[in-house]
Structures are given as structure tokens and as C-alpha cells.
Amino acid sequence: QSEKELQDVVKQQEEKMLQLIDKSGEVTMLKEEVSQLKRSLQRAETEAKVLWEEMRGKEPTVDTAHVQDRVLLRQEVGKLRLLLLEKRDEKRLLYDKY
């Protein structure tokens, strides 16, 4: 009988572990989604900043190619900053781990 109880306990623990693994996967997916939304927001904010800078004090006729180039450059700078922050976080996690 105690063997049967032990098997039941082991089975319950396995089920709990599977649930935790499922939840962990969900958390990972949600974190990735949040990261994507942050990048989209940052991209939109960058475009708005560039357009605001270009439009401030200018006539209605704006060189769109120039504005697009500035937007792309700002986006690249934003990507590089984000990459730097991610690498710093990874480095900090490795230091904490070891």
C-alpha cells in the first residue's frame, strides 16, 4: 500500500512539474511578445521624433528621402542601444550565475 501511495505522490509531482514547464513556456512567449511590442513602440517613437525635428521650423515641402534616411539611422541607433542593453543583461546574468 505504501508503494502505491509513493507512486501516486511521484505521479502528482510529475504532473506539477509538467504544469510548471507549461507555465514557463507561456512566460517565455509573453516576454518575447513584450519585447516585440517594446521594439515596435520604440520604432514609432523614433519616427515621430525624426518627423517632429524635420517639421519644426520648416516649410510644408520636406525632402522625404532625407526624412526616411534619418528615420532609418535613428532606428539603427535604437537597435544598437537595445543590443547593448541586452548584452549587458546577459553579462550580468552570467556574473550572477557564476
Side-chain angles (χ1 to χ4, degrees):
Q1 184 180 359
S2 62
E3 184 178 332
K4 172 73 173 155
E5 290 174 4
L6 185 60
Q7 286 176 348
D8 289 342
V9 169
V10 168
K11 185 176 180 181
Q12 288 174 357
Q13 291 298 323
E14 287 176 351
E15 289 173 1
K16 286 181 183 178
M17 286 182 62
L18 290 175
Q19 288 175 349
L20 287 174
I21 290 170
D22 286 346
K23 287 180 182 179
S24 174
E26 289 176 29
V27 168
T28 302
M29 289 186 328
L30 289 172
K31 284 182 179 179
E32 180 60 33
E33 189 175 340
V34 167
S35 293
Q36 289 174 357
L37 290 171
K38 283 181 180 179
R39 277 180 281 207
S40 295
L41 177 60
Q42 188 176 21
R43 189 172 21 254
E45 287 174 344
T46 300
E47 290 176 10
K49 282 180 189 176
V50 170
L51 289 172
W52 178 253
E53 288 173 5
E54 287 296 318
M55 297 303 293
R56 194 173 3 157
K58 288 212 173 187
E59 298 174 15
T61 57
V62 177
D63 182 9
T64 56
H66 176 70
V67 171
Q68 246 179 349
D69 286 342
R70 295 238 358 234
V71 167
L72 291 174
L73 287 173
R74 289 262 184 154
Q75 287 176 348
E76 287 300 315
V77 168
K79 287 177 188 176
L80 290 172
R81 281 190 183 129
L82 184 62
L83 185 61
L84 176 65
L85 292 175
E86 288 174 356
K87 293 299 176 187
R88 283 184 184 166
D89 289 345
E90 287 176 15
K91 187 177 178 182
R92 188 176 5 183
L93 287 174
L94 285 174
Y95 280 135
D96 291 346
K97 186 176 180 179
Y98 295 107

